[in-house]
Amino acid sequence: MNRRVRRKVARKSKGNVVQSSSPEVQEEVLHLEPQGVVDWNCLPDDTVIQLLSCLSYRDRASLSSTCKTWRSLGSSPCLWTSLDLRSHRFDADMASSLAPRCVHLQKLRFRGEESANAIIHLRAKNLRELSGDYCRKISDATLSVIVARHESLESLQLGPDFCERISSDAIKAIAHCCPNLSKLRLSGIRDVNGDAINVLAKHCPKLTDIGFIDCLNVDEVALGNVLSVRFLSVAGTSSMKWGVVSHLWHKLPNLIGLDVSRTDIGPSAVFRLLSLTQNLRVLIALNCPILEEDTSFSASKYKNKLLVSLRTDIFKGLASLFFDNTKRGKNVFLDWRTSKNNDKDLNEIIPWLEWMLSHTLLRSAESPQQGLDNFWVEQGGALLLSLMQSSQEDVQERAATGLATFVVIDDENASIDCGRAEAVMRDGGIRLLLGLAKSWREGLQSEAAKAIANLSVNANVAKAVAEEGGIEILAGLARSMNKLVAEEAAGGLWNLSVGEEHKGAIAEAGGIQALVDLIFKWSSSGDGVLERAAGALANLAADDKCSTEVALAGGVHALVMLARKCKFEGVQEQAARALANLAAHGDSNSNNAAVGQEAGALEALVQLTRSPHEGVRQEAAGALWNLSFDDRNREAIAASGGVQALVALAQACANASPGLQERAAGALWGLSVSETNSVAIGREGGVAPLIALARSEAEDVHETAAGALWNLAFNASNALRIVEEGGVSALVDLCSSSVSKMARFMAALALAYMFDGRMDEYALVGTPSESTSKSVSLDGARRMALKHIEAFVLMFSDPQAFAAAAASSAPAALAQVTEGARIQEAGHLRCSGAEIGRFITMLRNQSSILKACAAFALLQFTIPGGRHAMHHASLMQNLGAPRVLRGAAASANAPLEAKIFARIVLRNLEYHQIEHTV
């Protein structure tokens, strides 16, 4: 090994070490290495073992592989007494490779059928505790083999998901094979019959803790025969005969804890159990509707017995049970653990009580019911926070999962209950969750990160998470080699990145690089982690600075890879959204070009517009819209089949969401900037769907549809198509009644293009009879169009301001007209030389209305401060516009509006010329 670390000692000067306050530490450090560094090889064995014990299994194995000495220490029995394999793919091969280290394994947690089948290959004959989840597919045969190979088992827990394929036969096998069993908790078994329970009672004399949870049928009479039982749970179990229970179970001599939560138990059964069960200390009956409907029932008269229900003050009851003091507050479990109470029963009750409460609260959160809001805000959330401080890891995990779950109202739309979320924050939950997230235990990391992610949907909680250092913690977890941990951390960063104020902090914490790396790391598996990473990058890319960092971190390549190869709709949607934001933000010209030049990017986005999922189609169309602002991208999109795909999309989205309609029309608008593309759009049938979208009720759709039709109308053949498809009436409606000024403006410009004379020449081609018919049809459409163009221009004509401007050449008078006429968003429009030239030509048109419209348009395009005003002014100078404008301003036949607007445009040109020369 050649790794070195700097010694943690200060120096006075070269060669002189400051004396340590601890001579023993000083002597050890100096002995290790006199040259200022510590050699890892020389660390004491117990120090290395302690270091290894603080690492996850993956990191422990990685560090152990660095040298022969550490490999030997990494196999020390004390490091392998407990094993949590839930985060790893655990099969027979892995089990065989771990077997030499598992001779002394005592505690094992696993997940799923494959892991269950592999357990026997560990050859861990000394196993004492076995806990599994995702056990739905585990069969009687598998469980029977496991218990037969592990006769020393003392604790077996399977759940909380239902064990659908496990029957009473497996329970009998457990009883026969595990005589030392003291704890058995099984979830979701269809039928626990009397024979199985009686076999347990006979062969497991040490069985003190039984849980048949969420089962369909349990033999109540047989349970009354298990005299050794001290803790019993039938929470969530249906078909219980409570009359039989209340007459039999109170005879159980050792029963001190009973959980009947989420059942249909009534007040009479609770009364008998509390009053007649001699040693009963705790009865948990949370979320029992029949019991809670009886408002007259009270458990306060049962001294030294605690009833936990929705109607009781749970913390007060716990304090009275633990301390004989009802004023302990909400930290009673923590207070108990730090106290020096020697009550043996309570020392057993508290772990059981914590476990059962965490299970029931999680189940209740997963199946939300009406009427629990007050409970969650006043007690449930605080209980979960208290349980998060348990010494039992599985209780901590379930409590964190409960917090992540109980705040969610609508998972599909990321909607949470703000009252519950802020209650968690007020009770110190953010700090507790972040503390768990820093644990070395990956199960705790993932559940804590999930809770932080869900709570952070609330802006106030997100702020608290950031202030407590949560962004740095989540960014660190996003680098985890554990996919579940990385996925939940990415989800947290996704939700936090919604807030503009957090984006910079995420970048500073290295979150952007971590998210990009996640995509490459899990590109072939795990739609959840990929969707969250892409979603977070999409939010971050909407910030100019972060967008540049995403591109520099390799985000373009990563996101294009997802768009091309991933088949999951959520991933596709977020990848397309991220690419859309990248193309529109940061160094937008650079980012836009980079996305377009990435191999397969444009083809993938075009293909995604054909997705069966609306969200994917919408984001892909949005990305193509943004990318079409780049000239090379525009042509490349068309070459990749973009025109046909987007026309088809527009044709299919008549009943789609306004968001999809806006982006479909917007992408066609962007492509139609090129006249070649414009002609292709018309030829492919794009006119009719754009006219239909122009009739949408959504303001944003008005703008994009009007913009696309404006570009299409520049071409005479398209202009005629618009007339033939009934587009004049749609544009007239937009021009006169749209809420959007921009939509009205572009509709007026489209109508001006259509009736400035060029379309007439195209329309007259054909037989004499066809030409006459078209001419008659066009005359009516022209009159209607010009009428509404005139009305639109006059909307920006204040008679008093125009009169003042006509009577004076003072800049102030013209400035007043400009402010009244200005359409702020029009400054973002960019016209080509051909388009500007057409408006200049229009200033000479015989129609006074078109003259005024052309002058009004040129005014909008040249107002100082507009994004492309300098560009337009330069084009106009090159095309000789000043001479035409002066002619229009001085014309005796031109309307007043045209004259005044022409004068203002001349002033704008002079301003830009001066600016250019300065």
Side-chain angles (χ1 to χ4, degrees), residues 717-749:
S717 63
N718 281 339
L720 185 58
R721 285 191 181 98
I722 294 171
V723 175
E724 292 171 343
E725 296 285 354
V728 173
S729 62
L731 288 167
V732 161
D733 288 342
L734 279 186
C735 185
S736 60
S737 59
S738 176
V739 176
S740 165
K741 284 185 180 180
M742 276 289 284
R744 297 206 306 272
F745 176 50
M746 290 185 291
L749 298 187

Side-chain angles (χ1 to χ4, degrees), residues 382-415:
L383 272 171
L384 289 169
L385 291 177
S386 181
L387 293 170
M388 272 172 40
Q389 301 172 74
S390 170
S391 58
Q392 301 176 80
E393 183 183 349
D394 51 350
V395 170
Q396 290 180 305
E397 286 183 24
R398 271 195 299 276
T401 308
L403 283 174
T405 306
F406 95 110
V407 296
V408 176
I409 297 173
D410 183 354
D411 188 39
E412 198 68 30
N413 296 308
S415 176

Side-chain angles (χ1 to χ4, degrees), residues 34-76:
Q35 299 303 318
V37 293
V38 174
D39 189 337
W40 287 107
N41 279 315
C42 297
L43 289 175
D45 289 355
D46 57 349
T47 302
V48 176
I49 291 173
Q50 183 65 33
L51 172 64
L52 293 170
S53 71
C54 296
L55 301 177
S56 67
Y57 303 111
R58 183 183 288 103
D59 292 340
R60 186 184 302 170
S62 177
L63 194 56
S64 297
S65 66
T66 55
C67 69
K68 183 177 179 180
T69 301
W70 282 31
R71 190 176 299 114
S72 174
L73 293 173
S75 301
S76 299

Side-chain angles (χ1 to χ4, degrees), residues 95 208 244 264 277 340 362 415 427 470 517 561 642 858:
T208 59
V244 174
D264 58 357
T277 310
K340 296 182 179 180
L362 176 56
S415 176
D427 288 338
D517 291 344
M561 178 182 68
L858 292 172

Side-chain angles (χ1 to χ4, degrees), residues 613-783:
H613 306 287
E614 182 172 313
V616 177
R617 297 196 300 273
Q618 175 174 311
E619 298 303 340
L624 291 171
W625 181 11
N626 288 347
L627 289 164
S628 68
F629 284 90
D630 180 90
D631 294 340
R632 287 176 297 178
N633 286 345
R634 189 183 309 122
E635 303 313 315
I637 291 168
S640 301
V643 170
Q644 295 85 347
L646 289 166
V647 167
L649 181 62
Q651 290 170 336
C653 69
N655 298 317
S657 67
L660 176 54
Q661 292 178 337
E662 178 197 9
R663 287 163 176 78
L668 287 172
W669 181 12
L671 288 185
S672 63
V673 168
S674 156
E675 188 167 7
T676 302
N677 291 344
S678 177
V679 171
I681 291 169
R683 189 174 56 244
E684 291 292 334
V687 170
L690 286 169
I691 291 172
L693 292 176
R695 294 191 170 102
S696 167
E697 296 180 358
E699 176 184 339
D700 291 339
V701 181
H702 289 175
E703 290 187 10
T704 54
L709 289 170
W710 171 35
N711 281 352
L712 291 178
F714 187 85
N715 176 269
S717 63
N718 281 339
L720 185 58
R721 285 191 181 98
I722 294 171
V723 175
E724 292 171 343
E725 296 285 354
V728 173
S729 62
L731 288 167
V732 161
D733 288 342
L734 279 186
C735 185
S736 60
S737 59
S738 176
V739 176
S740 165
K741 284 185 180 180
M742 276 289 284
R744 297 206 306 272
F745 176 50
M746 290 185 291
L749 298 187
L751 290 169
Y753 277 173
M754 291 163 63
F755 296 106
D756 67 352
R758 296 192 186 184
M759 182 179 65
D760 298 16
E761 299 171 7
Y762 183 84
L764 290 175
V765 176
T767 66
S769 60
E770 289 174 340
S771 299
T772 303
S773 174
K774 289 180 180 178
S775 177
V776 172
S777 174
L778 290 177
D779 284 343
R782 180 185 293 104
R783 284 193 297 272

Side-chain angles (χ1 to χ4, degrees), residues 50 55 74 77 128 145 261 292 353 408 453 457 459 466 476 502 511 567 576 615 618 695 705 793 845 857 859 916:
Q50 183 65 33
L55 301 177
R128 300 287 190 273
V145 170
S261 298
E292 287 143 16
L353 184 58
V408 176
V457 172
H502 305 313
K567 302 304 179 186
Q618 175 174 311
R695 294 191 170 102
V793 174
N845 197 283
L859 180 150
H916 181 70

Side-chain angles (χ1 to χ4, degrees), residues 836 839-844 851-860 862 872-873 875-892 894-910 912:
I836 292 295
F839 286 116
I840 294 171
T841 302
M842 211 179 289
L843 289 171
R844 296 170 171 161
K851 287 179 181 178
C853 181
F856 180 78
L858 292 172
L859 180 150
Q860 302 299 333
T862 58
H872 293 144
L875 291 176
M876 291 176 70
Q877 292 287 358
N878 294 337
L879 293 168
R883 181 170 56 85
V884 181
L885 286 164
R886 283 192 289 270
S891 173
L896 179 61
E897 292 78 22
K899 293 179 179 182
I900 300 300
F901 290 149
R903 286 170 55 192
I904 295 171
V905 176
L906 281 167
R907 286 186 68 249
N908 291 345
L909 294 181
E910 291 171 3
H912 291 302

